Amino acid sequence: MSFDVSVIPHKNIILAVTGGIAAYKSAILVRRLKDAGFNVRVVMTQGAQAFITPLTFQALSGNPVHTALLDPEAEAGMGHIELARWADLLLVAPASCDTLAKFAAGLADDLLSTLYLATKAPVWVAPAMNQQMWAAKPTQRNLATLIEDGVHVIMPDAGSQACGDVGLGRMPEPEDLARQVTEYFHQAQRAIAEKFGQLAGKRVTITAGPTREAIDPVRYISNHSTGKMGFALAAACYAAGADVTLIAGPVTLDTPNGVKRKNVSSAVKMLNESMQMLEDGCDIFIATAAVADYRVAEVAEHKIKKSGDELNVALVKNPDIVATIAQQEKRPFMVGFAAETRNIEEYAAGKLVAKKLDMIACNDVSRDDIGFASDENAMTVFFAEQYQMDKRDLEKASKQEIAQQLIEAIHDALHRDPSSDDDF
């Protein structure tokens, strides 16, 4: 069974704002949640409106703000039920002492308390109040009840408070709350991917970026690869349920969420790490790295001084990483990349056969609108003869979209592999 995790829609979050000076942080929180890709609708209690206006939240969220229990503009006048069904998470931040008490007692005398009872979505509360109110026994009893009922309580921070006291009771910073929410959904999505993803249970190794072949301590031979395509593939493979290791040359990209990363510089070091991954266990090897074909025969110990119009440097051939891996007895499914400037498909088809690959993706790096430095790409994919699959043309799209299409191609090829015992 295959399930494409990438098609899960952005999650819907109801941010409920209750009365308290920390309500100003909620405005920033809306922006941070939106930046992370969430759909946000805001619910405000009467107390919250004394600190900040609904118009502020409407402008930040792009949605009308909900303040009344009975909404004449809602379907059947029951806006609270529609909201309860819409939400994937109800986040109350700040959560006042009064709100915690209502939730614990099961009251339903306003929009928020009714939403709490009506929604099937997880409920998170971020309490914010005076330190003595937080420490009070009734508040702690209410918190214990909520935790027993399955509510996730985000503990307050300690520090100076608006009233002048110092202690526990400050609402965490918006960036921290948004990070916790994002991680929660990432973990939930990952759990689905590990069970139903296109590459669920597969161990994937990806090489990405350029290599640097030293000439002396300050100079090297390299190329224009940025690693963007390989990093996009690593993120997509992880989202599809794979256990992903990324062997990266010198690039300035952040490691995708959930991906293990090994940094290397030279082609020889990249090969050594690749062989180690093969020994550790690898089901799919994707070679997107632009590996230097040659390295300097003897690297100078000290910086070479300028002395004349010419400098002759002897070069020796680097190992062919993807071909070396493909020749191993227990080889993984091999995916190669071909970055060419002419006769693109002809060269790629030749490499597919010569290097004994299962699949190869080629692109024209002479184009200004795609390739190394661009955020977009366009590729043609060829498959080894035993898969009996026609070539695929991947039209110009973002590298993230191209990565997803490449995963689909890998999945389809694995599905057609007569030697595979996998149940798709």
Side-chain angles (χ1 to χ4, degrees):
M1 180 178 181
S2 174
F3 184 83
D4 183 359
V5 180
S6 68
V7 303
I8 294 178
H10 290 308
K11 295 298 182 178
N12 300 326
I13 295 178
I14 292 177
L15 175 62
V17 185
T18 69
I21 189 59
Y24 81 90
K25 290 185 177 180
S26 301
I28 304 171
L29 178 56
V30 171
R31 176 59 61 84
R32 297 295 173 261
L33 292 172
K34 293 282 288 183
D35 289 345
F38 294 105
N39 301 317
V40 182
R41 293 186 181 180
V42 177
V43 168
M44 298 183 71
T45 64
Q46 185 174 355
Q49 295 173 66
F51 289 90
I52 192 167
T53 68
L55 184 60
T56 298
F57 287 108
Q58 180 174 323
L60 291 170
S61 69
N63 290 311
V65 175
H66 305 271
T67 58
L69 175 58
L70 300 177
D71 183 358
E73 296 183 3
E75 181 182 348
M78 296 203 262
H80 59 292
I81 300 299
E82 294 170 38
L83 271 176
R85 291 170 178 166
W86 177 84
D88 292 306
L89 176 70
L90 171 58
L91 172 61
V92 187
S96 67
C97 191
D98 178 65
T99 298
L100 299 178
K102 284 184 177 181
F103 284 3
L107 299 180
D109 62 351
D110 63 4
L111 174 57
L112 177 54
S113 56
T114 305
L115 270 176
Y116 170 69
L117 296 177
T119 189
K120 293 182 179 180
V123 178
W124 289 20
V125 295
M129 61 195 72
N130 167 267
Q131 57 88 22
Q132 187 56 49
M133 294 175 69
W134 168 257
K137 289 183 178 180
T139 302
Q140 294 303 309
R141 281 199 303 269
N142 290 334
L143 285 167
T145 298
L146 293 179
I147 292 171
E148 185 177 350
D149 290 344
V151 174
H152 177 66
V153 177
I154 302 170
M155 295 296 291
D157 291 339
S160 299
Q161 299 183 315
C163 61
D165 286 358
V166 176
L168 282 173
R170 290 169 55 92
M171 184 174 112
E173 295 305 311
E175 291 76 12
D176 183 49
L177 290 175
R179 177 188 55 78
Q180 291 187 48
V181 170
T182 301
E183 288 180 355
Y184 166 76
F185 280 109
H186 278 165
Q187 290 171 6
Q189 182 170 311
R190 177 63 178 174
I192 295 173
E194 287 179 341
K195 188 173 183 179
F196 300 114
Q198 290 173 311
L199 300 181
K202 298 297 184 184
R203 295 163 297 180
V204 178
T205 298
I206 301 174
T207 63
T211 62
R212 287 180 180 173
E213 311 302 331
I215 298 173
D216 61 22
V218 298
R219 300 180 180 91
Y220 56 82
I221 300 170
S222 190
N223 56 62
H224 296 295
S225 175
T226 61
K228 289 181 178 180
M229 191 67 247
F231 276 63
L233 265 168
C237 286
Y238 180 79
D243 179 6
V244 184
T245 299
L246 181 63
I247 303 173
V251 297
T252 58
L253 301 173
D254 293 331
T255 306
N257 180 61
V259 172
K260 297 182 285 291
R261 178 173 177 175
K262 297 178 180 293
N263 292 321
V264 298
S265 55
S266 69
V268 170
K269 290 180 180 179
M270 185 172 283
L271 174 60
N272 291 340
E273 287 290 353
S274 299
M275 292 297 290
Q276 183 61 52
M277 290 309 303
L278 190 63
E279 184 176 331
D280 294 341
C282 177
D283 301 305
I284 302 169
F285 189 91
I286 306 175
T288 71
V291 181
D293 293 325
Y294 294 89
R295 68 182 184 276
V296 175
E298 293 187 18
V299 179
E301 184 179 355
H302 301 287
K303 179 182 175 182
I304 299 172
K305 296 299 182 181
K306 182 168 58 177
S307 59
D309 295 333
E310 295 182 358
L311 174 65
N312 295 315
V313 178
L315 302 177
V316 295
K317 195 173 184 179
N318 263 327
D320 189 319
I321 295 175
V322 68
T324 301
I325 300 296
Q327 291 169 3
Q328 303 305 306
E329 183 178 355
K330 294 183 178 179
R331 65 192 294 280
F333 181 89
M334 297 297 304
V335 182
F337 274 66
E340 303 289 353
T341 58
R342 61 189 178 91
N343 301 330
I344 316 304
E345 295 190 12
E346 178 185 344
Y347 289 151
K351 287 181 179 179
L352 177 69
V353 175
K355 298 187 180 186
K356 299 181 180 180
L357 306 180
D358 296 286
M359 172 178 148
I360 193 166
C362 61
N363 65 329
D364 183 355
V365 292
S366 68
R367 291 173 52 177
D368 294 332
D369 59 333
I370 63 171
F372 287 142
S374 175
D375 292 327
E376 295 182 310
N377 215 339
M379 312 197 85
T380 301
V381 179
F382 294 90
F383 303 89
E385 186 176 354
Q386 69 264 28
Y387 296 101
Q388 299 180 355
M389 296 172 65
D390 295 331
K391 73 172 185 177
R392 295 188 184 184
D393 292 316
L394 310 184
E395 300 297 332
K396 181 180 174 181
S398 71
K399 288 184 174 176
Q400 287 72 25
E401 293 175 274
I402 294 292
Q404 183 56 48
Q405 293 181 65
L406 288 170
I407 287 173
E408 291 170 3
I410 293 170
H411 172 268
D412 292 347
L414 288 170
H415 180 67
R416 296 173 71 102
D417 184 356
S419 66
S420 175
D421 295 326
D422 290 332
D423 180 12
F424 290 93

